[in-house]
Amino acid sequence: MRKPRIAVVGAGPSGLYTVAALLDATVDGPAQVVVLDRLPAPYGLVRYGVAPDHVKMKSVIRVLQRPFTESGVAFLGDVPIGVEGLPPEVLLRHFDAVVYSTGSPVDRRLGVPGEDLAGCYGSAEFVGWYCGHPDLAGLNPALDAPGVAVVGAGNVALDVARVLARRAADLADTDVPPQVLDTLAVSAVTDVHVLIRRAPQHVRFTPVELRQLGELDDVDVLVHDDGQLAAGVPASADKRQRTNLAILAGWAGRAPAGRRRRVHLRFLLSPRRLLPGGPGRVGAVEIERNTVDDDRVRGTGELTDLAVGLVVPAIGYDAVPIPGLPFDERTGTVPNVAGRVVGADGTPVPGTYVAGWIKRGPSGVIGTNKGDAAQTVATLLADLAATPRRELPDQADLADDLDRYGVRPVDWSGWLRIDAAEVGRGRLRGTERVKIAELADLRAVAHGRVVEPSR
Ligand code: NAP
């Protein structure tokens, strides 16, 4: 019997852990796998979500790249699937199974008036900008006011607060694109207000990330909790919660030490409205004091305005429906049973699987995707073993179909050209890599043109 042919859509951690699990499995020998991504570069959120100063976290790339470097798995980047690209049914014609690991790429909305004012960017946008995501190369946020508000108490809120609080010079030895460094270098920000709707015991930070905030050069971290922690740290059976509380209690009651920037962790506050400061641009956020009963947040009606020129809600991500596949708007996931996509009546959608955030929602760290991918692959292989292998078109026909839909893919050697160009730009700045953010430049480099950096 011929080897199963499988497409994995999305070259982020969940997709690439799926590929690794597929290669490990030995049903009729390892599967023939093709990885497609809508961007010319692989690695998804490791490249476009992990904060630039979390260099160690990016070293997982050494593991994620193995299917391409050691097992000859094909990479087809710059291949959109869905509305403006290849329809899912075309993919299914070429493969025995398709695994979608397309993540949760868009922001959850705050749902308050003024959210659409310029100067309010969801964390997917803001993080995408400083990570050099081609969709956000032109975001160009104005950091011209002393106050900024970051909403949320998860690790993404911490990443955003840290990047805004750090000196640009301290980020020069990371991979941030030059235009990001330029914007950060002229930042007028002095006060980063992290607005947290519940109490210190409810934060979702991981302690390592929280502690890092207190280790930044020339930054005061100030806790505004109405003296709650000073009056007594709540007991907790949960280790992460206990450690977070101990860190926060260590900062509580501290007076500013006159450092250059301040990060204010403000508890029991929710944004109610974003108010304009200039034409169409955010100038303040109206916040309401909350109480929390049985973990439920209630507004007290006590309102104040906080002057800010930038608001970044970091309140979680959402997925984008894949045309032709079922989608649960409430959870932002594709309905599935152990990775097998199912319709509203529970009937499996033939040959179609999901892994990662599109499968389980936007939570967990990079490593969480490993077990998640293994589950999807086990389901997929069980289905394959129970299904007679059908005739598939010649592999070369996929190239014809891509051509027909106007897609010019970037293959692995194209990505290696981007990689080499970025490493070259890094050498000029004295760092490991400087990302190319513009899509046109990524494409040009991938297809063999020499593109000089604009500066
Ligand atoms: P998250 O951990 O789910 O945190 C979302 C935060 O937003 C929560 O504090 C939540 O508060 C708050 N929130 C939600 N809706 C809100 C609203 N309407 N108003 C005010 N606050 C609201 O999500 P995330 O920070 O986006 O991170 C996503 C996942 O990636 C997480 O698993 C995270 O650990 C992971 N991640 C890890 C790292 C790292 O390891 N360094 C870095 C980045 C991301 P409630 O708790 O009150 O709901």
Side-chain angles (χ1 to χ4, degrees):
M1 200 166 12
R2 69 167 170 78
K3 290 176 178 184
R5 221 187 279 166
I6 297 164
V8 174
V9 180
S14 59
L16 297 183
Y17 279 129
T18 300
V19 176
L22 281 167
L23 295 177
D24 282 348
T26 50
V27 177
D28 312 323
Q32 252 178 8
V33 185
V34 174
V35 179
L36 304 107
D37 199 286
R38 76 177 187 88
L39 294 175
Y43 308 131
L45 271 191
V46 177
R47 181 173 159 94
Y48 292 121
V50 169
D53 55 350
H54 280 171
V55 178
K56 234 161 118 191
M57 220 175 272
K58 288 175 196 263
S59 62
V60 70
I61 283 178
R62 280 204 291 273
V63 175
L64 297 178
Q65 71 181 355
R66 278 188 201 140
F68 305 115
T69 57
E70 295 175 12
S71 306
V73 165
F75 173 67
L76 295 178
D78 209 5
V79 179
I81 307 290
V83 187
E84 284 167 12
L86 212 61
E89 61 271 20
V90 174
L91 266 190
L92 266 182
R93 208 160 60 222
H94 292 277
F95 295 92
D96 296 297
V98 180
V99 183
Y100 290 91
S101 46
T102 47
S104 311
V106 295
D107 285 295
R108 266 190 209 144
R109 296 201 29 107
L110 262 180
V112 301
E115 197 172 358
D116 293 320
L117 286 171
C120 177
Y121 307 105
S123 57
E125 285 183 292
F126 195 74
V127 170
W129 167 70
Y130 65 62
C131 287
H133 193 297
D135 288 355
L136 296 148
L139 192 77
N140 208 13
L143 305 181
D144 54 355
V148 304
V150 179
V151 185
N155 284 327
V156 174
L158 281 184
D159 283 345
V160 172
R162 200 178 61 254
V163 166
L164 285 166
R166 291 196 73 169
R167 271 190 292 249
D170 294 339
L171 292 168
D173 66 351
T174 71
D175 60 10
V176 290
Q179 59 275 27
V180 172
L181 212 50
D182 289 348
T183 303
L184 293 174
V186 296
S187 164
V189 171
T190 56
D191 292 84
V192 180
H193 304 276
V194 182
L195 305 179
I196 299 167
R197 65 177 168 183
R198 295 193 288 157
Q201 62 270 34
H202 302 120
V203 295
R204 298 204 200 171
F205 309 137
T206 48
V208 180
E209 323 298 326
L210 182 59
R211 201 173 284 119
Q212 195 189 1
L213 203 59
E215 292 162 358
L216 301 181
D217 267 355
D218 221 2
V219 175
D220 277 321
V221 179
L222 304 166
V223 171
H224 304 263
D225 68 334
D226 291 341
Q228 284 198 359
L229 286 166
V233 178
S236 170
D238 178 81
K239 186 164 175 243
R240 188 179 71 139
Q241 198 177 43
R242 261 197 329 270
T243 317
N244 277 335
L245 283 167
I247 297 168
L248 292 168
W251 293 335
R254 264 198 202 169
R259 299 193 168 117
R260 186 166 155 269
R261 284 186 179 145
R262 287 158 292 283
V263 175
H264 303 265
L265 299 175
R266 297 186 178 276
F267 291 92
L268 293 165
L269 292 174
S270 285
R272 287 295 168 235
R273 265 195 309 165
L274 307 192
L275 307 164
R281 161 100 197 267
V282 71
V285 53
E286 182 184 74
I287 46 184
E288 181 175 15
R289 181 153 298 280
N290 298 324
T291 56
V292 182
D293 304 313
D294 289 336
D295 280 2
R296 280 200 51 201
V297 183
R298 285 175 220 277
T300 61
E302 186 189 329
L303 300 172
T304 32
D305 290 354
L306 191 64
V308 290
L310 174 79
V311 178
V312 183
I315 59 168
Y317 295 134
D318 213 345
V320 178
I322 299 161
L325 261 55
F327 189 71
D328 182 342
E329 296 282 350
R330 198 181 44 84
T331 57
T333 58
V334 169
N336 70 93
V337 177
R340 180 191 298 116
V341 175
V342 293
D345 59 355
T347 314
V349 178
T352 308
Y353 301 83
V354 280
W357 282 3
I358 186 110
K359 170 187 176 187
R360 63 171 204 277
S363 70
V365 293
I366 293 168
T368 315
N369 292 299
K370 203 169 174 182
D372 177 294
Q375 185 200 45
T376 294
V377 168
T379 306
L380 183 157
L381 293 177
D383 288 354
L384 271 187
T387 320
R389 215 54 50 85
R390 71 193 151 95
E391 193 78 9
L392 292 183
D394 200 82
Q395 281 195 60
D397 291 359
L398 177 62
D400 291 343
D401 265 337
L402 290 172
D403 202 39
R404 197 165 308 131
Y405 283 90
V407 174
R408 188 179 178 204
V410 169
D411 62 10
W412 188 250
S413 58
W415 155 246
L416 290 182
R417 281 191 280 276
I418 296 174
D419 185 48
E422 292 189 339
V423 170
R425 289 176 186 208
R427 220 172 286 125
L428 297 176
R429 196 164 87 193
T431 181
E432 210 170 291
R433 159 190 314 274
V434 168
K435 277 188 194 146
I436 300 172
E438 297 75 15
L439 185 59
D441 288 357
L442 286 168
R443 284 177 172 156
V445 172
H447 295 300
R449 272 197 12 237
V450 176
V451 178
E452 294 301 333
S454 52
R455 55 172 286 271

